Amino acid sequence: MENQEDVVSFAVEDGIAWVNFNRPAKRNAMSPTLNRRMMEVLDELEFRDDVGVLVLSGEGTAWSAGMDLKEYFRETEAQGLRGVRKSQRESYGWFRRLRWYQKPTIAMVNGWCFGGGFGPLFACDLAICADEAQFGLSEINWGILPGGGVTKVVVDLLPMRDAMWLTLTGDLIDGKQASAMRLVNESVPLDQLKARTREVANKLLAKNPVALKFAKDAVRRVSTMTYDEAEDYLVRMQEAANFHDKSEGRKEGIRQFIDEKSYKPGLGAYDL
Ligand code: ACO
């Protein structure tokens, strides 16, 4: 039996929570144990004052080889519908939690990313991968459709031809192809992956954290709204953000530009 504590590793350094899938011997396949532990770790980190950005990566050669075919599928099916639904709730639960996380999140994809791995990939706000990473919807190769939201993820992120190609062929794409397809924001050589991710995380750490939370939610929410609904939602959300931002950041941002002339908003963030 695996140690529940070990299947997810994490460390907080300089405002960044580095969270890793930690089953390298199983290519970080997501077992029910891992899914439960990931929810606990997300819970523990979400409102900590020393965490401004969360980075999700994988130990070893994989980011995640998707759902664990033995523990997530075969063994829960053996428990009947009750077991299946429970393990689905646990995995979908932390994916959803991550999609609406309080802090901005970055998927740092270091290696294999298969099938169910597209759930947390999409859940992260930004994604940076290694050129050497390999992505694939392998579901078709073992006889199922990409479920657990994965088909929705690729249709939301990719043009239909690319979504259909990956879905029907199960072909792999490398990091550079994933970046060209916009499955991720960018791809860099593996030996630069952590440094580049830290750079991007630091860029986010310099911004007003309340504005970041409302802005990231807005990007996800408005995609399913009409223009008028979005306009109204964004007005209301800015007003809600004004309430939550006890630092009155927007006023300070204007003051430092207009009165103090200490920075230019077009060129970078105000001093928090
Ligand atoms: N589920 C369960 N076990 C897995 C998974 C998985 N998704 N992926 C890897 N493992 C296990 C292997 O069974 C093996 O276990 P063992 O050492 O006890 O025999 C161990 O991890 C190492 O795997 P290898 O195949 O030996 O590693 P290799 O580096 O050669 O290949 C690769 C890596 C390509 C990721 C391969 O393991 C693989 O194809 N995995 C399955 C990927 C997949 O299709 N995932 C499911 C997507 S669909 C979905 O998520 C709904």
Side-chain angles (χ1 to χ4, degrees):
M1 182 79 177
E2 270 170 332
N3 179 349
Q4 174 131 343
E5 299 281 319
D6 290 339
V7 292
V8 177
S9 61
F10 68 96
V12 177
E13 288 166 18
D14 302 326
I16 306 171
W18 300 92
V19 178
N20 281 349
F21 295 109
N22 189 26
R23 299 182 74 212
K26 298 289 182 186
R27 305 302 180 262
N28 298 326
M30 290 178 273
S31 60
T33 308
L34 183 145
N35 291 329
R36 283 193 286 275
R37 180 62 187 146
M38 191 62 88
M39 184 65 114
E40 287 174 4
V41 169
L42 293 179
D43 253 344
E44 178 169 339
L45 295 170
E46 187 162 19
F47 291 98
R48 269 174 59 162
D49 291 339
D50 59 344
V51 173
V53 175
L54 183 142
V55 175
L56 181 60
S57 193
E59 298 285 352
T61 57
W63 193 67
S64 173
M67 308 322 292
D68 188 305
L69 268 53
K70 176 170 167 285
E71 295 186 35
Y72 182 84
F73 286 105
R74 191 164 68 190
E75 291 176 4
T76 58
E77 275 177 35
Q79 296 164 19
L81 192 57
R82 182 189 172 95
V84 170
R85 290 286 181 267
K86 179 170 186 293
S87 62
Q88 287 169 338
R89 276 197 307 276
E90 287 167 347
S91 58
Y92 304 168
W94 79 261
F95 299 171
R96 187 179 311 112
R97 186 69 182 279
L98 196 57
R99 280 201 302 282
W100 302 105
Y101 209 60
Q102 182 69 25
K103 310 293 168 64
T105 54
I106 304 174
M108 183 174 91
V109 185
N110 52 301
W112 303 111
C113 176
F114 282 106
F118 280 55
L121 177 69
F122 175 70
C124 289
D125 302 320
L126 300 175
I128 304 173
C129 74
D131 295 344
E132 294 87 341
Q134 297 277 343
F135 299 81
L137 297 185
S138 55
E139 285 89 338
I140 203 71
N141 290 338
W142 62 280
I144 70 163
L145 61 80
V150 171
T151 297
K152 174 68 175 156
V153 165
V154 289
V155 167
D156 275 4
L157 287 178
L158 304 176
M160 192 272 256
R161 293 294 179 206
D162 290 327
M164 195 66 92
W165 190 279
L166 293 179
T167 301
L168 298 187
T169 66
D171 280 357
L172 288 171
I173 54 170
D174 65 19
K176 285 184 176 164
Q177 289 170 297
S179 171
M181 228 180 240
R182 311 310 297 142
L183 184 61
V184 298
N185 292 98
E186 53 181 71
S187 179
V188 296
L190 181 59
D191 62 7
Q192 294 167 27
L193 182 62
K194 189 155 187 187
R196 177 58 185 151
T197 304
R198 186 181 284 115
E199 199 172 78
V200 174
N202 284 336
K203 198 189 286 272
L204 299 177
L205 287 173
K207 314 291 184 196
N208 178 315
V210 176
L212 282 173
K213 168 61 176 158
F214 278 83
K216 61 177 253 181
D217 287 1
V219 169
R220 289 187 192 270
R221 290 282 186 215
V222 301
S223 66
T224 56
M225 292 180 189
T226 64
Y227 190 92
D228 281 350
E229 286 165 348
E231 196 178 67
D232 188 50
Y233 168 88
L234 293 168
V235 167
R236 306 290 157 222
M237 283 304 119
Q238 183 55 53
E239 288 165 358
N242 295 349
F243 170 77
H244 280 284
D245 184 7
K246 302 305 178 201
S247 74
E248 302 223 297
R250 69 199 184 285
K251 292 184 183 168
E252 180 61 15
I254 293 174
R255 192 189 68 75
Q256 288 181 21
F257 176 50
I258 299 295
D259 303 332
E260 205 172 271
K261 299 193 185 304
S262 55
Y263 85 115
K264 295 178 192 291
L267 305 180
Y270 74 93
D271 211 357
L272 286 177

